[in-house]
């Protein structure tokens, strides 16, 4: 297993290109199942999760051709010949559950393994299932699989989500595009990835209104046609790299970054004393004078502070002047980066969903272990500001969500390298 070695100290200067969003691409790819015509995605990120979704779609009979070094995904689901998503693929990546709605809508049946939990929580899919049942699907759970069918097709309905679940909104939104009649999603998730999915589906002929708000209305159509769609910029990669000059000092321009994707996050950076400027090409981030100020953070569904940036923000708060409280309200176990940061001399007290961080002048480099995708990158950020060398092991977690992290950071002067075990 590879490790990444970071030697802290120097300021960062330069520019970092922001890739297409992993979490948009992982819902846009299953959308190909809704049509027998080709769907092509541009600005796709080169990540292991995308390879996993490619493998899953291919196992169903879809063709996914990766072009331009993976930035373009040309997909065709003309010949779907298998309606079962196997456990051995689904267990690797929870987003696999997002083939359920499209398969049901296209073929009237599907057998999809339950994804199981992951490091950050149990991650049930009950809201996905309830939403699809509201559209008339019959679902049986047995031997770890969801056996779903919708003889005669899905029917439009009103779906009230008790929680603004991103995945459940995506699954039911995709299914509703081919349901007979009108579907209204109440308390729908408002994430930019949902907006991106709706825009892609509309370009395929779907009739959708209200994406980005809590109420999305879909008029079902008989079929969807092909399209070409650019994947929206990755707001979590963007926020992550904005924190690099914030924690190490210096100035970095994130090319392709959009303020509307990270407004709540930028408000926290501003309160901490970090300068963020919109430029022609993206967002420029600078930390000029001294230590950042401690700020409190509460993670919420969009447009609130994103849970996927909580670990990275904690790394910054470990070096801030003062004490900050980070409250994680989305997942039940998303502080696994805290014990690793403690190894680097951070002062963190975790009680349930709250982490109280008292900033220190300097963190100390140490061997640490990545536990999940966002925790792994928070350790790299901490290493940029630490005295000495930090060795982050199990970086396969990182490869799921960050392309070329070593190249992107070293291009701005970071002393970082990847070593194979
Ligand atoms: C998506 O996960 C993202 N993944 C996550 O990013 C992100 O953290 C999350 O949304 C919240 O923004 C992808 O888009 C592939 P949810 P998802 O459904 O859809 C509970 C990353 O690091 N819940 O909004 O699973 C659930 O347990 C990943 O890129 C139910 O109880 O998120 C969690 O506590 C991590 N029942 C909360 O809701 C359900 O049926 C948020 O889940 C569904 C969810």
């Amino acid at each position: 297993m590879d490790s990444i070695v970071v030697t802290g100290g120097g300021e960062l200067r330069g520019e970092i290109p922001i890739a297409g969003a992993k979490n948009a691409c992982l819902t846009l790819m299953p959308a190909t199942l809704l049509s027998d015509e080709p769907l092509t995605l541009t600005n796709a990120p080169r990540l292991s999760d995308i390879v996993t979704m490619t493998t899953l779609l291919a196992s169903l009979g879809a063709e996914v051709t990766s072009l331009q070094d993976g930035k373009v995904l040309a997909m065709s689901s003309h010949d779907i010949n298998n309606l079962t998503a196997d456990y051995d693929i689904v267990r690797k990546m929870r987003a696999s559950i997002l083939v359920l709605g499209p398969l049901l809508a296209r073929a009237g049946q599907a057998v999809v393994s339950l994804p199981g939990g992951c490091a950050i929580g149990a991650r049930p899919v009950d809201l996905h299932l309830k939403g699809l049942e509201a559209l008339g699907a019959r679902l049986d759970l047995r031997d770890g699989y969801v056996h779903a069918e919708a003889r005669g097709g899905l029917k439009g309905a009103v779906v009230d989500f008790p929680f603004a679940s991103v995945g459940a909104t995506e699954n039911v939104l995709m299914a509703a595009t081919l349901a007979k009649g009108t579907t209204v999603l109440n308390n729908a998730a408002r994430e930019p990835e949902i907006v991106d999915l709706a825009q892609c589906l509309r370009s395929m002929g779907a009739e959708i209104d209200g994406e980005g708000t809590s109420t999305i209305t879909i008029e079902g159509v008989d079929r969807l046609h092909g399209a070409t769609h650019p994947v929206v910029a990755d707001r979590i990669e963007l926020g992550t790299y904005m924190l690099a000059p914030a924690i190490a000092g210096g100035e970095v321009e994130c090319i392709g970054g959009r303020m509307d994707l990270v407004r709540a996050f930028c408000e926290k950076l501003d309160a901490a004393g970090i300068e963020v400027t919109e430029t022609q090409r993206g967002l420029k981030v600078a930390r000029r004078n001294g230590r950042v100020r401690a700020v409190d953070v509460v993670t919420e569904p969009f447009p609130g502070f994103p849970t996927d940036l909580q670990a990275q923000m904690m790394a910054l708060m470990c070096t801030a002047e003062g004490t900050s409280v980070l409250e994680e309200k989305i997942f039940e176990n998303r502080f696994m980066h805290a014990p690793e940061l403690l190894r680097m001399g951070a002062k963190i007290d975790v009680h349930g969903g709250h982490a109280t961080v008292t900033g220190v002048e300097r963190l100390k480099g140490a061997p640490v272990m990545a536990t999940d995708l966002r925790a792994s990158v928070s350790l790299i950020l901490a290493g940029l500001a630490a005295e000495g060398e930090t060795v982050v092991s199990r970086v396969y977690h990182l490869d799921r969500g960050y392309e070329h992290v070593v190249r992107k950071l070293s291009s701005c002067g970071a002393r970082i390298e990847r070593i194979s075990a």
Side-chain angles (χ1 to χ4, degrees):
M1 282 188 274
D2 291 3
S3 298
I4 286 182
V5 181
V6 188
T7 305
E11 290 199 343
L12 302 183
R13 294 200 181 288
E15 54 190 53
I16 293 179
I18 300 302
K22 166 179 86 81
N23 291 346
C25 204
L26 289 175
T27 189
L28 290 165
M29 291 175 75
T32 182
L33 298 167
L34 292 166
S35 171
D36 58 4
E37 293 184 14
L39 173 62
T40 298
L41 300 178
T42 60
N43 194 39
R46 280 70 57 101
L47 303 167
S48 58
D49 270 8
I50 304 307
V51 174
T52 304
M53 182 59 81
T54 298
T55 305
L56 173 58
L57 292 174
S59 75
L60 303 173
E63 283 169 34
V64 182
T65 309
S66 175
L67 305 167
Q68 293 179 31
D69 184 25
K71 282 206 82 158
V72 173
L73 297 172
M75 302 180 290
S76 165
S77 297
H78 187 269
D79 305 319
I80 295 302
N81 53 27
N82 171 27
L83 299 176
T84 298
D86 279 338
Y87 176 61
D88 65 343
I89 299 179
V90 175
R91 70 182 167 79
K92 275 195 219 127
M93 186 184 64
R94 302 186 69 266
S96 307
I97 192 72
L98 294 173
V99 303
L100 178 57
L103 278 179
L104 257 182
R106 168 82 181 275
Q109 65 179 95
V111 180
V112 177
S113 167
L114 284 167
C118 74
I120 62 177
R123 312 227 18 214
V125 291
D126 54 313
L127 303 184
H128 298 238
L129 305 184
K130 285 196 186 90
L132 294 171
E133 279 176 329
L135 298 186
R138 245 173 46 72
L139 307 177
D140 292 315
L141 298 192
R142 53 179 193 275
D143 44 273
Y145 282 75
V146 180
H147 295 258
E149 62 175 32
R151 301 272 180 229
L154 296 169
K155 291 176 188 54
V158 175
V159 180
D160 296 312
F161 288 117
F163 174 83
S165 157
V166 172
T169 301
E170 292 164 344
N171 234 333
V172 182
L173 169 58
M174 288 189 280
T177 59
L178 295 177
K180 291 182 185 60
T182 305
T183 297
V184 178
L185 306 185
N186 291 323
N187 197 21
R190 300 170 55 190
E191 273 69 5
E193 292 76 34
I194 308 271
V195 172
D196 202 37
L197 173 62
Q199 289 170 347
C200 176
L201 294 168
R202 190 177 293 118
S203 70
M204 296 169 73
E207 291 179 23
I208 300 169
D209 273 313
E211 72 273 10
T213 75
S214 299
T215 304
I216 302 177
T217 304
I218 305 104
E219 293 299 334
V221 295
D222 293 337
R223 61 186 299 279
L224 295 181
H225 52 72
T228 296
H229 178 80
V231 178
V232 68
D234 192 322
R235 62 194 170 98
I236 306 304
E237 188 196 31
L238 169 60
T240 301
Y241 287 123
M242 290 173 76
L243 282 167
I247 203 165
E251 180 176 287
V252 170
E253 184 175 13
C254 295
I255 310 303
R258 284 172 29 193
M259 179 64 88
D260 64 309
L261 297 175
V262 286
R263 203 166 297 283
F265 171 71
C266 286
E267 283 166 11
K268 290 297 176 185
L269 287 190
D270 179 54
I274 302 300
E275 272 174 44
V276 179
T277 318
E278 290 185 87
T279 67
Q280 288 297 325
R281 302 195 300 163
L283 295 178
K284 186 176 282 187
V285 184
R287 190 193 92 200
R288 297 191 205 293
N289 44 9
R291 288 171 70 185
V292 298
R293 293 188 291 272
V295 293
D296 293 342
V297 168
V298 180
T299 65
E300 294 173 310
F302 196 87
F305 190 100
T307 174
D308 292 350
L309 285 173
Q310 178 260 108
Q312 300 91 313
M313 191 68 179
M314 185 185 287
L316 178 66
M317 290 298 101
C318 287
T319 65
E321 189 145 24
T323 298
S324 64
V325 176
L326 294 98
E327 184 181 1
E328 174 56 58
K329 289 176 69 173
I330 306 293
F331 290 106
E332 63 265 34
N333 184 32
R334 203 169 197 177
F335 286 138
M336 283 171 300
H337 39 287
E340 301 304 311
L341 290 167
L342 286 172
R343 290 176 49 74
M344 299 176 70
K347 290 197 173 72
I348 308 169
D349 267 326
V350 173
H351 293 288
H354 291 81
T356 303
V357 180
T358 304
V360 296
E361 280 274 349
R362 241 15 245 276
L363 293 171
K364 303 240 176 328
V368 290
M369 188 176 75
T371 50
D372 61 270
L373 168 57
R374 307 303 175 183
S376 53
V377 82
S378 79
L379 299 174
I380 288 181
L381 290 173
L384 293 175
E387 199 175 311
E389 199 172 79
T390 299
V391 182
V392 183
S393 60
R394 301 192 179 184
V395 290
Y396 57 84
H397 290 291
L398 205 65
D399 297 335
R400 296 191 53 178
Y402 291 91
E403 60 172 51
H404 308 312
V405 64
V406 170
R407 185 198 306 172
K408 290 188 175 185
L409 285 174
S410 49
S411 75
C412 293
R415 287 186 288 166
I416 179 171
E417 60 174 335
R418 184 170 184 138
I419 51 175
S420 302

